[in-house]
């Protein structure tokens, strides 16, 4: 299955990414937790009570971008690399086929003895490989930074699992951006479409949530399970919650009831959505790509 | 036959790019595919190498089908250099050649060896580690041709290879193509530089609006000017009288050119008949030449004549 031609495409793609500025931007975000450490130490934030967060032994998960609980350090987790999965998926996906069309590499590649499916497989594998590697660096830097700030951390084994989960969860957005970028023969259109879809689905999820009144968050989560973009952006968080034994999320309400949400439902639903949407998008993409003239 | 194209057709929406095109290329020969812009040359090449899926037709390489399932493996026997000189600008020449070899399915060591051969044969050493974006147009073209010609293949397809090259490299590429053909590979070349092309090709297919106007040996085209006849040039004592005789004989394209009269005769045998008629009419014939047509003559006559 993994023949030399696919390996050739993977090598080609990895080499291409090495020359891209967005790759170094992603790398910088992965190493951002070290900047957080520097700021915390320089301004002595621990002594001023700003650090640690409530769950200090889980701090590294927040720094990585996967809040273990709602309302607890979620602002901090907004700076973590996993929170930007949709951006990197759009950036790299939108560019992957479009750039080959733009610089004519596609004519040279597809004239070689490989099928178009092998080309797409090579592209997907290389992006998954690069994503996993950089997310791993992000997880590692989060873990080290958290250790420096607040001491020993829990769930260290997730350093290996989480990057792979984050990378795999980016498949639907990556494929959609790649498809649109390839169809329009424009990397920029692919990138903007990926980002646009993310914000559009977030807005729709928010609007649906508002119709739920007190059940605002539950409505958002329930709706998200039907939406491939939203579902894929919360898989890492859902997986962290599930694997760390958090089966219920309690939504904090000021002066009211505190509704709870079933994490298992979120975990299973978002993974199911990922598999189904990835298969459907891939099927439609292959169908389009296999008949396209270059 | 090494490569056979049978009844190939391709349309893009309402535009017919290739219409029932058929031609074949012998083993060890160099074949030219010529025609005006938009005549379907590039679409034909792209169909052969799998960049375009034709609507109908068949393409065989050593009797193995190139279209449909499994065709991509047969494509491994083809080296292809597209018309454009747009290349991945971010790569160095060495990296580019290496990746092209890897995509051919070669292992790392063989790919590296191939790159060294390409650098040597195409004299790319001085800019081997330079990014493609910094190369001149001619240097890019050399790199593009090198990736197609360096691996040993059964067929080489080069779309406009001479465009952008300096005269030294035009000659060099011609030598390389001939040596490939001498070793048994087939080469298909397209070019608008017909005089240059004529020096290297053995056979030719002329297409217009995706239809083949002529396919066969270059000699067959030039000796009969694309099947339109033999061009003669006669020098006589009385041009006006000779002109009348030639026009009355139903010859085509009768023109006075300086001291002589040129005309198109249907066949080589017809030349004797024309001379006899002139003599019978009392015209003194000083000299009769059959003008050897060039590929360009044949091409122009075909395009204007049909």
């Amino acid at each position: 299955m993994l023949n030399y031609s696919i390996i050739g495409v993977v090598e080609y793609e990895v080499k291409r990414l090495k020359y891209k500025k967005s790759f170094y931007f992603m790398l910088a975000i992965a190493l951002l937790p070290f900047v957080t450490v520097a700021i915390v130490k320089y301004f002595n934030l621990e002594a001023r009570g700003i650090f640690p967060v409530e769950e200090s032994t889980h701090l590294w998960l927040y720094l990585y971008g996967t809040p273990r609980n709602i309302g607890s350090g979620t602002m901090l987790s907004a700076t973590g690399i996993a929170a930007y999965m949709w951006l990197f998926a759009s950036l790299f996906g939108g560019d992957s086929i479009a750039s080959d069309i733009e610089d004519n590499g596609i004519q040279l590649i597809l004239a070689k003895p490989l099928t178009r499916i092998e080309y797409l497989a090579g592209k997907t594998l290389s992006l998954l490989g690069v994503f996993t590697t950089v997310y791993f660096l992000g997880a590692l830097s989060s873990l080290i930074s958290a250790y420096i700030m607040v001491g020993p951390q829990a769930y260290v084994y997730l350093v290996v699992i989480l990057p792979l989960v984050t990378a795999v969860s980016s498949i639907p957005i990556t494929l959609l951006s790649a498809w649109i970028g390839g169809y329009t023969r424009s990397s920029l259109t692919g990138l903007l479409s990926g980002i646009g879809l993310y914000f559009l689905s977030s807005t729709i999820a928010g609007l649906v949530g508002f119709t739920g009144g007190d059940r605002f968050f539950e409505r958002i989560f329930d709706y998200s399970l039907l939406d491939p973009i939203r579902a894929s952006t919360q898989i890492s968080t859902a997986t962290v919650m599930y694997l760390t034994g958090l089966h219920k999320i309690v939504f904090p309400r000021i002066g009211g009831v505190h509704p709870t949400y079933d994490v298992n439902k979120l975990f299973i639903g978002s993974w199911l959505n990922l598999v189904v949407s990835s298969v459907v998008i891939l099927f439609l993409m292959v169908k389009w790509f296999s008949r396209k003239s270059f | 036959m090494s490569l056979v194209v049978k009844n190939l057709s391709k349309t893009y929406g309402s535009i017919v790019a290739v219409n029932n095109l058929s031609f074949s290329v012998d083993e060890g020969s160099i074949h030219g595919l010529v025609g005006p812009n938009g005549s379907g040359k590039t679409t034909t090449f792209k169909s052969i190498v799998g960049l375009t899926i034709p609507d109908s037709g068949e393409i065989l390489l050593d009797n193995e089908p190139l279209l449909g399932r499994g065709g991509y493996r047969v494509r491994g026997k083809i080296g292809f250099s597209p018309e454009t000189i747009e290349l991945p600008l971010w790569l160095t020449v060495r990296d580019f050649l290496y990746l092209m070899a890897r995509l051919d399915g070669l292992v790392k060591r063989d790919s590296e060896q191939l790159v060294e051969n390409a650098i040597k044969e195409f004299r790319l050493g001085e800019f081997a580690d330079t990014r493609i974006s910094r190369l001149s147009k001619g240097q890019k073209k050399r790199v593009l041709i090198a990736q197609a010609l360096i691996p040993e293949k059964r067929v080489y397809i080069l779309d406009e290879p001479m465009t952008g090259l300096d005269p030294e490299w035009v000659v060099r590429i011609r030598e390389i193509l001939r040596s490939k053909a001498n070793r048994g590979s087939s080469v298909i070349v397209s070019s608008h530089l017909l005089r240059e092309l004529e020096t290297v090709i053995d056979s030719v297919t002329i297409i217009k609006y995706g239809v083949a106007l002529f396919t066969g040996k270059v000699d067959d085209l030039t000796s009969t000017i694309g099947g339109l006849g033999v061009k003669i040039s006669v020098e006589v004592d009385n041009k006006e009288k000779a002109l009348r005789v030639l026009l009355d004989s139903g010859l085509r394209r009768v023109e006075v050119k300086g001291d002589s009269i040129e005309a198109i005769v249907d066949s080589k045998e017809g030349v004797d008949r024309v001379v006899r008629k002139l003599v019978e009419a009392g015209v003194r014939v000083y000299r009769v030449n059959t003008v050897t047509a060039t590929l360009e003559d044949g091409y122009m006559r075909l395009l204007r004549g049909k």
Side-chain angles (χ1 to χ4, degrees), chain A residues 11-12 103-104 113-114 116 294, chain B residues 50-51 73 75 84 88 102:
Chain A
E11 275 188 64
Y12 188 91
D103 67 18
N104 198 39
L114 77 161
R116 293 184 178 203
F294 293 101
Chain B
L51 294 174
R73 293 290 170 224
R75 209 157 62 221
T84 174
R102 290 288 277 160

Side-chain angles (χ1 to χ4, degrees), chain B residues 58-71:
Chain B
E58 201 179 354
I59 305 172
L60 303 170
L61 202 171
D62 293 336
N63 293 319
E64 289 183 277
L66 268 164
L67 302 177
R69 271 175 171 265

Side-chain angles (χ1 to χ4, degrees), chain A residues 234-243 246 263 266-267 270-271:
Chain A
Q234 57 202 25
I235 285 176
S236 298
T237 304
T239 306
V240 164
M241 288 173 176
Y242 183 82
L243 292 179
L246 191 74
V263 170
L266 183 65
F267 174 75
S270 53
W271 273 101

Side-chain angles (χ1 to χ4, degrees), chain B residues 9-220:
Chain B
S9 293
K10 174 71 186 174
T11 52
Y12 295 105
S14 59
I15 299 164
V16 180
V18 178
N19 190 359
N20 215 23
L21 180 71
S22 298
F23 67 92
S24 57
V25 185
D26 290 335
E27 197 172 318
S29 76
I30 304 178
H31 187 86
L33 190 64
V34 296
N37 290 329
S39 58
K41 302 183 296 290
T42 299
T43 300
T44 304
F45 284 158
K46 285 184 175 180
S47 300
I48 296 171
V49 299
L51 294 174
T52 287
I53 293 122
D55 302 330
S56 60
E58 201 179 354
I59 305 172
L60 303 170
L61 202 171
D62 293 336
N63 293 319
E64 289 183 277
L66 268 164
L67 302 177
R69 271 175 171 265
Y72 70 97
R73 293 290 170 224
V74 187
R75 209 157 62 221
K77 297 179 181 179
I78 301 175
F80 175 59
S81 167
E83 179 186 8
T84 174
I85 54 153
E86 295 291 320
L87 289 171
L89 301 175
W90 38 276
L91 283 169
T92 65
V93 171
R94 191 186 296 279
D95 283 345
F96 171 72
L97 292 171
Y98 171 78
L99 289 169
M100 288 298 113
R102 290 288 277 160
L103 286 164
D104 258 324
L106 297 182
V107 295
K108 201 166 180 258
R109 202 173 53 189
D110 291 348
S111 300
E112 284 166 352
Q113 185 56 52
L114 209 69
V115 171
E116 292 312 315
N117 294 348
I119 288 171
K120 200 172 154 196
E121 188 160 354
F122 282 81
R123 293 180 215 150
L124 307 171
E126 57 183 299
F127 48 85
D129 296 306
T130 304
R131 279 211 201 172
I132 291 172
S133 58
R134 293 191 186 146
L135 303 187
S136 71
K137 198 175 161 187
Q139 287 168 333
K140 280 184 200 165
K141 194 78 188 182
R142 266 157 69 189
V143 174
L144 190 66
I145 296 172
Q147 64 80 29
L149 290 183
I150 288 302
E152 280 304 318
K153 303 278 187 178
R154 288 286 294 136
V155 174
Y156 298 94
I157 295 176
L158 297 100
D159 199 354
E160 297 285 347
M162 311 300 188
T163 311
L165 290 178
D166 61 39
E168 184 198 347
W169 273 96
V170 169
V171 175
R172 183 89 185 97
I173 297 296
R174 207 162 61 199
E175 288 168 359
I176 295 172
L177 295 185
R178 182 48 65 194
S179 75
K180 292 281 181 191
N182 289 343
R183 288 206 293 272
S185 297
S186 306
V187 182
I188 313 177
V189 195
S190 81
S191 179
H192 289 298
L193 308 170
L194 298 183
R195 286 183 189 170
E196 179 50 48
L197 194 65
E198 190 175 6
T199 61
V200 71
I201 60 174
D202 305 304
S203 55
V204 66
T205 297
I206 297 175
I207 56 174
K208 187 181 178 184
Y209 301 129
V211 177
L213 301 181
F214 174 89
T215 185
K217 300 275 178 208
V218 176
D219 288 346
D220 293 341

Side-chain angles (χ1 to χ4, degrees), chain A residues 14 31 38 97 148 156 161 194 205 252 258 268-269 274:
Chain A
V14 170
L31 302 175
I97 297 175
I148 295 170
V156 175
I161 298 170
H258 302 301
I268 295 166
L274 174 83

